[in-house]
């Protein structure tokens, strides 16, 4: 059945458009706007009230004329065509190829909106991923199927860190490489180019699917981009049995686009003008990571976001932190000291680490060691602060040892650069080496048997 | 199912989870409806003339005007009966296992499933005879639901009458097990199952003041900020401060007979974790697995927002049902903030005038209504039972000045404030001992002194005092340095450190440390107290330096006492006490 074309566009304002006298149009349905010059643009039904359809444009409103443009509703929600051929390809934010090669021959067409994974169909993620970065492997361990965002801020090297993870990530004792789904959401050309070059250099590009929406592309196109990327990732993971690493950068731009649409709809804003449903919206993206019982593939997600003014309580990092399974926070102070990657281990966290480490997964002493390093480093940093105010003489001998420990910890453990790839054994041994700076009686978080085995 | 004879409405508007339908004159507020061709489940939340606003519990993508709306003429209800325990439900009471059988790994829409298994047969044993006159909510018999739970079959709370017939044997939840003659002469078929609307509190005879603690095995909770059976507690904290672990620990170890755990707008993997872990954990009270006494409600953050709003009512109705059987029930809700956000989202779509931060003006009263369903009560059967609620709050940025935290704090009596700076130091549970409080302590003191030790109250106060003093002393140290303190003050710092690290810090992932019995908690406190007293004597009377005292070898044993297995606790305790005495005495032997 040919879909009816409507010439009844009543209003276009910002990302919204009102079409009147429509029939049989459904909520969430996709429409095509046909411009007078033959160009086609996508839109989606946000609200249907009687015969009025309020639609949201997915592409710029530039050039739409209410009198001459027509709208055709397609009878389904937003979709992405997929087949094995997507691997190695580059698409724009709406899933159209932009690498100059013709469209893929689609095996199937998938709706980009997530359907919820039944919690009882999930497998709990607990397979250790070695990233080769001590601050992550040793202290904030990443596991297969986890969603672990990087909280960055302007001027911090999150792209180097993300590229390092993408380059070095392996499942221990298995020769498995991750397929990478990379979504550039409103980032600059330079930043996107950095990733593409890095993927090319390591050959990862052969197993990468890219969705690129750059800073100069229309902001509203960004709303579909992460969903496109995740739909591709789900296809690779659960239909083609691949282990997929999804990198989404930058979620802050996505949230801003969300705010733009919400403001245009005149919704009551929540904190900082972001819509009240941003938590739910974020969840519909982040919760798509994971593993499913009886399926071989997995989706591990590393979203990157920049914290405005380094503020962790800003709604974007805040809501993200409540949904994701931890966070890796970058720290300006460390970066100024030229410690790279500048991961603030104390405020970083991996919620899934406890079941991903230990005997059979990494090493028996890992959990104890990690707790001890955390608490000793925290004490050391505190003592150092105190020493800064009062001078060296006024802190106790023990505290001074802690200060030295904290300094050495940053220098030896954290500061490994963006190119060193450490095995988990190396990371753990460096931890023990550092702990030897402290008296044995201070190691309260470690079991006797490990102290005997590794400290002596 | 056929809805031939029911009046049908027509959709006029769809905006996300909000659907408006006309031709709905004969419906009631909060009636359930089936929306559209897919038959999505919804609930009427506003009626204007013949138009009704409906909140739909499932994604409305693809729904459009002129589709039908069928009113089911009953409010959102859940089936209550054997088979709830050990099961996991979504926000509106559909078992996830059945949903998986019907729709695969992902949740599909418009699926109709019963909360309970209607096929399974249970062995029913009656406790009443023909001609017995039964009151509302009376117990007529029982079935063994799990190893831990003997499920009492009760009359619905609005039915009373004389028994005409009562059977014994194997029945499904829908079969008639007995007949009751009501006052008006009509008869009522008793079944193993009853339906009850979730938004309505189940009736009780009387409420009592809580006076027995809910023992959680978590030292900072039991010893410093105990919660009473029938009490209400809030656990607010920023992300990463260990809210969920505290909630899990309470669910695992609390000495309640039944646990209802509501994952409200939380992570999918967390629910999976609970599902994997609970069947393998032994309940310390009964030695059966935890799953034998647990009901799970899972509304993960990516499930429809309207169902999130309903999930806490579904949970508390199940909890009340088991409470009515005579069980002590603990309900754990993680997190009430997500529930409040769902309320806000629906309110925004209804274009209601917002209150603070966009939340509807009725946020406070809805929260109070929910928490007020807790309590130590006398049931309709004259039994004393309790329903305890522990709700997590997720304040944006950890700032509890926001509306949800504030509205919650006005109601709850126990506040376990989680602190991100403690979490960064990996001091878990990160419950801040200076900010947290328990208003039940006055009621519970007597119980502790009678059942554990008459010295309990004094010990607790001493600990709180030292921790408070530590905070003051640290301010001074920051200004003028450690050397400016007197030896006694230095000793207090040393003891406070000992309390923090050796007592309050508790490793949830350590086999032994994850649960401390009250007896063990008392021993630990006594050891620290004894160390403090002996050391104080040494400092005051013999001018011993605190530096030397902190180096005595028994300190390490004090630190490791929490890892001592239960069977060896008493012996180790006495040894440590002896060592403290002799090692400190050794210090001043020469003096």
């Amino acid at each position: 059945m040919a879909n009816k074309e409507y010439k009844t566009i009543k209003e276009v304002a910002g990302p919204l458009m009102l079409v009147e006298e429509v029939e049989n149009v459904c909520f969430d349905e996709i429409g095509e706007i046909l411009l007078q010059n033959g160009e086609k643009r996508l839109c989606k039904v946000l609200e249907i009230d009687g015969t009025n359809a309020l639609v949201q444009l997915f592409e710029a409103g530039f050039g739409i004329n209410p009198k001459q443009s027509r709208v055709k509703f397609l009878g389904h929600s937003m979709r992405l065509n997929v087949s094995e051929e997507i691997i190695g390809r580059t698409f724009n934010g709406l899933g159209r190829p932009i690498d100059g090669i013709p469209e893929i021959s689609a095996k199937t067409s998938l709706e980009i909106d997530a359907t919820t994974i039944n919690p009882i169909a999930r497998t709990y993620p607990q397979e250790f991923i070695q990233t080769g970065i001590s601050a992550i492997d040793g202290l904030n361990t990443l596991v297969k199927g986890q969603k672990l965002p990087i909280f960055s801020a302007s001027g911090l090297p999150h792209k180097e860190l993300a590229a390092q993870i993408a380059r070095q990530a392996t499942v221990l004792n298995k020769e498995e490489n991750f397929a990478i789904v990379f979504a550039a959401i409103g980032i600059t050309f330079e930043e996107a180019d950095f990733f593409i070059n890095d993927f090319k250099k390591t050959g990862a590009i052969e197993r990468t699917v890219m969705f690129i929406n750059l800073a100069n592309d229309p902001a509203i196109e960004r709303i579909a981009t992460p969903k496109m990327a995740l739909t591709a990732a789900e296809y690779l993971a659960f239909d083609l049995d691949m282990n997929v690493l999804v990198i989404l950068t930058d979620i802050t731009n996505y949230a801003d686009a969300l705010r733009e649409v919400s403001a245009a709809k005149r919704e009551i804003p929540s904190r900082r003008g972001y819509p009240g449903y941003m938590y739910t919206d974020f969840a519909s993206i982040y919760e798509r990571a994971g593993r499913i019982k009886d399926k071989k593939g997995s989706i591990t997600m590393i979203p990157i976001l920049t914290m405005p003014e380094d503020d962790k309580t800003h709604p974007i990092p805040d809501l993200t932190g409540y949904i994701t399974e931890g966070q890796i926070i970058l720290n300006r102070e460390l970066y100024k000291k030229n410690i790279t990657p500048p991961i603030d281990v104390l405020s970083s966290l991996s919620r899934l680490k406890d079941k991903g480490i230990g005997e059979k997964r990494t090493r028996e002493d890992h959990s104890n060691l990690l707790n001890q390093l955390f608490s000793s480093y925290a004490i050391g940093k505190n003592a150092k602060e105190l020493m800064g105010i009062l001078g060296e003489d006024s802190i106790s001998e023990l505290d001074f040892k802690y200060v030295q420990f904290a300094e050495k910890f940053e220098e030896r453990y954290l500061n490994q650069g963006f190119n060193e790839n450490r095995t988990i054994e190396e990371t753990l041994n460096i931890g023990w080496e550092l702990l030897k700076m402290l008296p044995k009686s201070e190691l309260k978080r470690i079991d006797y048997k490990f102290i005997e085995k590794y400290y002596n | 199912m056929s809805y031939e004879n029911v009046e049908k409405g027509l959709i006029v508007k769809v905006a996300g989870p909000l659907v408006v339908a006309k031709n709905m004159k004969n419906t009631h507020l909060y009636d359930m409806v089936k929306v559209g061709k897919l038959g999505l489940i919804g609930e009427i939340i506003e009626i204007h003339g013949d138009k009704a606003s409906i909140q739909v519990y499932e994604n409305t993508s693809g729904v459009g005007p002129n589709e039908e709306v069928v009113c089911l003429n009953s409010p959102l209800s859940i089936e209550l009966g054997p088979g709830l325990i050990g099961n996991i439900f979504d926000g509106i009471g559909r078992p996830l296992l059945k949903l998986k059988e019907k729709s695969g790994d992902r949740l599909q829409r418009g699926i109709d499933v019963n909360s309970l298994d209607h096929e399974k047969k249970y062995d029913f044993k009656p406790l009443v005879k023909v001609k017995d006159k039964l009151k509302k909510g009376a117990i007529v018999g029982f079935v063994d639901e799990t190893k831990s739970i003997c499920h009492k079959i009760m009359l619905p709370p609005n039915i009373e009458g004389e028994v005409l017939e009562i059977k014994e044997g194997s029945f499904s939840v829908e079969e008639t097990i007995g007949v009751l003659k009501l006052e008006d002469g009509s008869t009522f078929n008793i079944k193993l199952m009853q339906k009850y609307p979730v938004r309505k509190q189940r009736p009780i005879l009387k409420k009592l003041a809580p006076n027995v603690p809910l023992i959680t095995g978590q030292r900072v909770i039991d010893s410093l900020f105990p919660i009473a059976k029938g009490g209400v507690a809030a656990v607010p904290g920023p992300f990463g401060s260990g809210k969920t672990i505290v909630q899990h620990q309470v669910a695992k170890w609390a000495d309640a007979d039944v646990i209802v755990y509501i994952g409200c707008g939380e992570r999918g993997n967390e629910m999976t974790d609970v599902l994997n872990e609970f069947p393998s954990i032994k309940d310390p009270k009964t030695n059966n697995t935890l799953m034998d006494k647990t009901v799970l409600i899972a509304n993960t953050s990516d499930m429809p927002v309207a169902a999130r709003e309903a999930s806490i009512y579904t949970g508390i109705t199940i909890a009340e049902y088991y409470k009515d059987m005579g069980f002590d029930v603990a309900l754990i809700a993680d997190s009430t903030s997500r529930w409040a956000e769902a309320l806000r989202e629906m309110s925004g779509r209804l274009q209601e005038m917002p209150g603070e931060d966009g939340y509807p003006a009725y946020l406070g009263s809805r929260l109070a209504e929910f928490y007020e369903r807790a309590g130590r009560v006398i049931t309709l059967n004259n039994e004393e039972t309790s329903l305890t609620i522990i709700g997590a709050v997720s304040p944006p940025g950890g700032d509890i000045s926001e509306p949800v935290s504030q509205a919650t704090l006005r109601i709850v009596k126990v506040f376990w404030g989680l602190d991100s700076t403690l979490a960064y130091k990996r001091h878990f549970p990160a419950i801040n001992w200076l900010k947290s409080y328990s208003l039940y302590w006055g009621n519970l003191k007597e119980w502790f002194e009678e059942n554990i030790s008459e010295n309990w109250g004094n010990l607790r106060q001493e600990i709180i005092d030292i921790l408070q003093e530590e905070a003051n002393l640290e301010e001074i140290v920051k200004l003028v340095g450690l050397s400016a303190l007197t030896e006694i003050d230095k000793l207090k710092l040393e003891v406070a450190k000992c309390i923090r690290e050796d007592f309050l810090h508790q490793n949830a992932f350590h086999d032994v440390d994850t649960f401390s019995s009250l007896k063990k908690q008392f021993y630990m406190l006594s050891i620290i107290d004894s160390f403090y007293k002996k050391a104080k004597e040494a400092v005051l009377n013999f001018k011993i330096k605190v530096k030397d005292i902190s180096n005595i070898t028994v300190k390490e044993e004090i630190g490791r006492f929490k890892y001592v297995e239960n069977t060896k606790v008493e012996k180790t305790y006495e040894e440590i006490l002896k060592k403290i005495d002799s090692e400190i005495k050794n210090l001043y032997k020469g003096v």
Side-chain angles (χ1 to χ4, degrees):
Chain A
M1 188 188 81
N3 288 316
K4 202 168 164 185
E5 284 182 10
Y6 296 99
K7 289 185 186 169
T8 45
I9 300 175
K10 178 78 179 167
E11 291 171 17
V12 196
L16 300 183
M17 193 170 84
L18 185 69
V19 191
E20 289 186 325
E21 293 167 50
V22 298
E23 277 169 22
N24 296 328
V25 171
C26 295
F27 173 70
D28 213 27
E29 191 173 336
I30 282 295
E32 243 175 23
I33 307 165
L34 309 160
L35 267 58
Q36 50 276 36
N37 61 5
E39 205 182 314
K40 282 181 189 172
R41 305 249 176 97
L42 284 179
C43 62
K44 176 180 101 167
V45 178
L46 276 187
E47 189 180 306
I48 172 94
D49 190 354
T51 56
N52 293 345
L54 181 71
V55 301
Q56 173 198 331
L57 306 181
F58 271 117
E59 292 167 87
F62 186 78
I64 295 180
N65 177 310
K67 279 208 176 120
Q68 288 160 355
S69 305
R70 288 161 298 155
V71 186
K72 188 167 83 177
F73 292 96
L74 304 179
H76 58 76
S77 52
M78 192 92 148
R79 284 181 181 167
L80 176 73
N81 290 335
V82 290
S83 71
E84 304 88 46
E85 292 173 27
I86 58 172
I87 302 167
R89 298 291 303 269
T90 306
F91 303 91
N92 73 1
L94 291 174
R96 297 188 189 119
I98 49 170
D99 44 11
I101 316 174
E103 291 251 4
I104 60 160
S105 58
K107 245 195 193 144
T108 162
S109 181
L110 299 172
E111 297 201 350
I112 65 158
D113 278 313
T115 44
T116 307
I117 302 176
N118 190 332
I120 60 168
R122 281 181 187 268
T123 310
Y124 193 72
Q126 45 191 2
E127 211 172 326
F128 171 67
I129 295 178
Q130 179 175 297
T131 64
I133 300 162
S134 293
I136 297 178
D137 292 353
L139 300 175
N140 298 293
T141 319
L142 177 70
V143 297
K144 212 159 93 180
Q146 185 173 13
K147 38 192 181 291
L148 188 65
I150 298 174
F151 286 11
S152 182
S154 43
L156 292 181
H158 51 262
K159 63 176 191 293
E160 286 83 355
L161 178 62
Q164 187 179 18
I165 295 173
R167 200 166 54 229
Q168 300 180 351
T170 54
V171 179
L172 207 56
N173 305 327
K174 280 185 197 161
E175 285 302 308
E176 273 180 61
N177 273 325
F178 283 88
I180 298 167
V181 172
F182 175 74
I185 309 164
I187 59 173
T188 58
F189 168 77
E190 270 171 62
E191 209 169 333
D193 194 49
F194 170 85
F195 278 104
I196 296 170
N197 278 332
D198 202 85
F199 294 156
K200 273 187 188 154
K201 218 163 45 194
T202 57
I205 196 93
E206 300 294 324
R207 44 189 168 87
T208 301
V209 187
M210 280 192 274
F211 292 84
I212 307 277
N213 168 283
L214 294 181
N216 57 347
D217 291 327
I220 36 180
E221 271 185 48
R222 275 163 218 164
I223 293 188
T225 310
K227 292 178 181 162
M228 289 285 170
L230 284 161
T231 308
E234 278 168 354
Y235 177 72
L236 298 180
F238 303 127
D239 285 340
L240 302 185
D241 292 340
M242 300 171 91
N243 286 311
V244 185
L245 186 69
V246 180
I247 298 174
L248 306 171
T249 177
D250 181 320
I251 293 293
T252 306
N253 296 333
Y254 171 78
D256 285 348
L258 214 58
R259 175 165 69 177
E260 194 181 321
V261 174
S262 167
K265 277 155 68 182
R266 304 216 164 87
E267 288 171 337
I268 297 161
S270 171
R271 282 201 303 151
R272 305 239 179 161
Y274 292 99
Y277 50 79
M278 194 157 83
Y279 177 82
T280 312
D281 195 278
F282 275 3
S284 73
I285 293 176
Y286 297 141
E287 279 289 331
R288 291 171 84 163
R291 307 185 60 182
I292 294 182
K293 276 181 195 152
D294 307 323
K295 299 258 167 112
K296 285 196 191 116
S298 64
I299 297 179
T300 309
M301 195 190 291
I302 305 204
I304 299 171
L305 58 88
T306 46
M307 299 180 283
E309 288 175 70
D310 298 15
D311 177 11
K312 197 170 62 131
T313 67
H314 184 281
I316 299 170
D318 191 50
L319 295 179
T320 299
Y322 276 121
I323 305 165
T324 53
E325 283 134 359
Q327 67 278 336
I328 301 291
I329 299 188
L330 300 188
N331 180 289
R332 202 174 292 279
E333 213 180 301
L334 286 174
Y335 192 46
K336 277 191 185 145
K337 281 197 235 167
N338 205 15
I339 287 170
T340 54
I343 296 174
D344 182 359
V345 290
L346 292 183
S347 56
S348 298
L349 169 74
S350 162
R351 287 167 192 274
L352 303 183
K353 65 170 186 298
D354 296 295
K355 296 199 172 131
I357 61 176
E359 223 176 333
K360 283 183 194 147
R361 301 201 179 273
T362 53
R363 205 168 77 185
E364 47 176 6
D365 56 321
H366 193 159
S367 168
N368 281 219
L369 177 63
L370 156 160
N371 282 324
Q372 189 63 57
L373 284 172
F374 267 127
S375 81
S376 302
Y377 179 53
I379 296 173
K381 274 190 80 168
N382 252 354
K384 201 172 160 187
E385 221 172 88
L386 209 59
M387 193 173 88
I389 306 170
L390 302 165
E392 218 171 280
D393 304 336
S394 57
I395 63 169
S396 69
E397 214 174 299
L398 181 64
D399 277 350
F400 189 66
K401 276 189 187 149
Y402 270 111
V403 172
Q404 287 176 314
F405 168 82
E407 280 170 357
K408 195 81 185 163
F409 176 83
E410 290 176 3
E411 195 182 299
R412 182 84 183 86
Y413 200 85
L414 299 184
N415 189 20
Q416 66 177 96
F418 291 114
N419 293 310
E420 189 181 337
N421 188 355
R422 288 180 186 161
T423 66
I424 182 67
E425 285 282 325
E426 285 174 84
T427 294
L428 293 172
N429 292 341
I430 295 171
W432 279 106
E433 191 187 296
L434 289 165
L435 283 183
K436 284 181 190 165
M437 299 174 69
L438 298 171
K440 216 195 286 182
S441 59
E442 282 299 300
L443 308 183
K444 287 184 187 170
R445 307 274 167 98
I446 302 186
D447 212 298
Y448 272 137
K449 58 180 184 216
F450 299 136
I451 292 187
E452 262 164 42
K453 192 163 168 191
Y454 297 99
Y455 183 88
N456 297 332
Chain B
M1 259 186 246
S2 96
Y3 303 108
E4 294 292 320
N5 300 323
V6 231
E7 197 175 351
K8 284 169 188 162
L10 284 179
I11 296 178
V12 287
K13 178 179 171 181
V14 187
L18 177 74
V19 167
V20 179
K22 63 180 181 187
N23 203 8
M24 301 285 286
K25 259 199 302 276
N26 294 327
T27 57
H28 312 93
L29 201 60
Y30 294 119
D31 271 358
M32 296 289 286
V33 292
K34 292 245 164 192
V35 175
K37 284 174 249 168
L38 290 166
L40 307 181
I41 300 164
E43 183 181 21
I44 295 175
I45 51 171
E46 265 186 11
I47 304 178
H48 299 278
D50 84 326
K51 278 190 187 163
S53 301
I54 299 159
Q55 69 170 345
V56 181
Y57 292 127
E58 298 176 270
N59 185 354
T60 52
S61 173
V63 176
N66 297 323
E67 286 186 45
E68 281 177 356
V69 174
V70 180
C71 182
L72 304 183
N73 285 323
S74 78
L76 177 61
S77 303
I78 177 155
E79 296 178 344
L80 299 169
L84 292 168
I85 300 274
N87 219 329
I88 176 165
F89 301 95
D90 76 351
I92 49 174
R94 295 181 297 183
L96 289 175
L97 205 63
K98 278 268 149 45
L99 286 178
K100 186 174 180 244
E101 278 168 23
K102 283 203 168 181
S103 73
D105 294 337
R106 289 167 189 273
L107 298 174
Q108 308 297 336
R109 294 182 291 162
I111 294 175
D112 235 332
V113 279
N114 296 311
S115 306
L116 298 174
D117 188 337
H118 285 205
E119 314 287 312
K120 192 172 171 186
K121 301 260 183 186
Y122 294 91
D123 267 331
F124 172 72
K125 295 202 179 62
L127 292 170
V128 294
K129 314 179 292 291
V130 173
K131 288 207 172 146
D132 277 359
K133 290 214 164 43
L134 299 182
K135 282 200 225 150
K136 287 173 184 167
I139 293 172
V140 296
F142 63 90
V143 303
D144 283 322
E145 186 173 4
T146 65
K147 276 185 194 155
S148 306
I149 300 295
C150 167
H151 191 115
K152 320 260 188 344
I153 305 301
M154 298 175 288
L155 291 182
N158 53 352
I159 300 281
E160 57 185 344
E162 190 185 316
V163 181
L164 289 180
E165 190 192 342
I166 188 86
K167 299 178 192 167
E168 182 173 353
S170 181
F171 302 95
S172 73
V173 291
E174 270 190 317
E175 283 172 306
T176 302
I177 52 162
V179 181
L180 207 63
K181 189 174 140 204
L182 305 184
E183 209 169 273
D184 62 2
S186 63
T187 55
F188 171 82
N189 290 340
I190 310 169
K191 292 173 184 169
L192 294 183
M193 166 192 103
Q194 53 180 283
K195 273 198 160 189
Y196 197 84
V198 297
R199 291 185 196 277
K200 211 169 128 194
Q201 181 170 4
R202 285 175 66 90
I204 48 165
L205 269 191
K206 204 167 124 192
K207 254 195 168 179
L208 305 168
N211 64 356
V212 179
L214 182 81
I215 309 301
T216 63
Q218 310 305 303
R219 293 188 288 266
V220 60
I221 293 176
D222 292 347
S223 293
L224 294 190
F225 314 110
I227 178 168
K229 281 190 175 143
V232 283
V235 198
F239 65 83
S241 57
K243 256 191 318 296
T244 303
I245 306 254
V246 169
Q247 298 269 59
H248 281 195
Q249 285 298 94
V250 173
K252 281 180 198 166
W253 304 117
D255 66 338
D257 302 313
V258 174
I259 303 280
V260 177
Y261 190 98
I262 310 175
C264 177
E266 289 294 304
R267 304 173 181 90
N269 279 330
E270 259 164 25
M271 290 319 294
T272 314
D273 188 25
V274 172
L275 277 172
N276 289 345
E277 207 175 346
F278 277 28
S280 63
I281 297 176
K282 275 209 170 134
D283 175 17
K285 210 168 151 189
T286 61
N287 253 341
N288 297 323
T289 85
L290 264 187
M291 218 52 200
D292 281 342
K293 65 166 200 179
T294 307
V295 184
L296 298 171
I297 313 283
N299 174 280
T300 57
S301 55
D302 55 342
M303 286 187 191
V305 64
R308 191 181 307 158
E309 196 267 333
S311 65
I312 70 163
Y313 295 107
T314 304
I316 195 146
T317 306
I318 294 175
E320 282 180 342
Y321 175 66
Y322 280 96
K323 178 200 72 185
D324 289 348
M325 282 179 215
F327 293 115
D328 283 317
V329 183
L331 177 130
I332 288 152
D334 187 12
S335 139
T336 55
S337 294
R338 304 299 160 227
W339 169 79
E341 279 168 13
L343 215 59
R344 172 168 72 184
E345 189 173 337
M346 287 317 295
S347 163
R349 301 220 187 242
L350 290 168
Q351 305 192 329
E352 290 172 339
M353 187 68 90
E356 226 178 320
D357 270 6
Y359 287 104
Y362 46 78
L363 171 71
S365 59
R366 290 277 172 91
L367 266 172
E369 236 171 80
F370 167 68
Y371 280 110
E372 204 46 30
R373 288 172 80 164
R376 186 166 78 99
V377 301
I378 304 285
T379 66
L380 296 178
N381 287 308
N382 248 323
E383 270 183 287
E384 193 189 307
T385 59
S386 69
L387 167 53
T388 313
I389 300 183
I390 296 155
V393 184
S394 321
D399 171 15
I400 61 164
S401 67
E402 55 92 39
V404 183
S405 305
Q406 284 306 312
T408 307
L409 288 181
R410 282 207 301 276
I411 310 158
V412 301
K413 302 280 189 302
V414 178
F415 169 68
W416 298 324
L418 296 174
D419 190 330
S420 55
T421 48
L422 286 176
Y424 294 163
K425 289 180 194 159
R426 297 309 188 260
H427 176 102
F428 287 116
I431 294 176
N432 184 311
W433 46 86
L434 298 175
K435 279 194 270 170
S436 305
Y437 58 77
S438 165
L439 298 181
Y440 293 118
W441 169 245
N443 301 4
L444 299 177
K445 190 172 175 221
E446 212 174 307
W447 188 95
F448 278 105
E449 295 188 337
E450 236 165 61
N451 289 281
I452 307 300
S453 158
E454 51 190 24
N455 206 14
W456 183 275
N458 295 334
L459 275 179
R460 175 181 180 268
Q461 197 52 49
E462 186 179 279
I463 299 289
I464 291 178
D465 289 345
I466 292 177
L467 289 170
Q468 184 62 52
E469 264 186 84
E470 183 196 29
N472 299 342
L473 289 172
E474 272 184 346
E475 290 296 312
I476 299 173
V477 171
K478 266 183 199 154
L479 291 174
V480 290
L482 197 62
S483 50
L485 296 185
T486 64
E487 284 297 307
I488 278 295
D489 284 345
K490 280 186 197 164
L491 177 66
K492 279 180 185 155
L493 284 183
E494 187 65 32
V495 174
K497 185 179 165 202
C498 188
I499 296 171
R500 280 190 284 110
E501 292 181 2
D502 304 337
F503 183 74
L504 297 179
H505 175 270
Q506 191 168 1
N507 187 347
F509 298 96
H510 190 281
D511 293 341
V512 176
D513 199 26
T514 181
F515 176 85
S516 281
S517 66
L518 284 185
K519 197 87 204 161
K520 187 172 177 186
Q521 298 188 27
F522 174 70
Y523 285 151
M524 295 174 93
L525 289 176
S526 304
I527 286 173
I528 294 170
D529 174 62
S530 157
F531 171 75
Y532 179 45
K533 294 224 167 95
K534 298 264 155 67
K536 200 164 161 188
E537 204 181 288
V539 171
L540 287 177
N541 299 341
F542 299 93
K543 303 275 177 276
I544 305 292
K545 292 273 181 240
V546 173
K547 206 172 77 186
D548 299 326
I549 296 176
S550 62
N551 281 336
I552 59 175
T553 53
V554 71
K555 278 290 298 292
E556 203 174 325
E557 276 173 68
I558 298 176
R560 294 190 182 271
F561 185 62
K562 54 179 150 187
Y563 303 124
V564 174
E565 280 165 50
N566 276 333
T567 49
K568 295 182 194 151
V569 162
E570 199 151 347
K571 201 170 143 241
T572 320
Y573 162 68
E574 313 227 313
E575 278 169 18
I576 291 179
L577 282 189
K578 270 186 213 143
K579 276 192 195 160
I580 292 175
D581 192 54
S582 66
E583 286 185 22
I584 292 184
K585 274 195 183 132
N586 272 340
L587 289 175
Y588 55 78
K589 241 183 198 158
V591 181

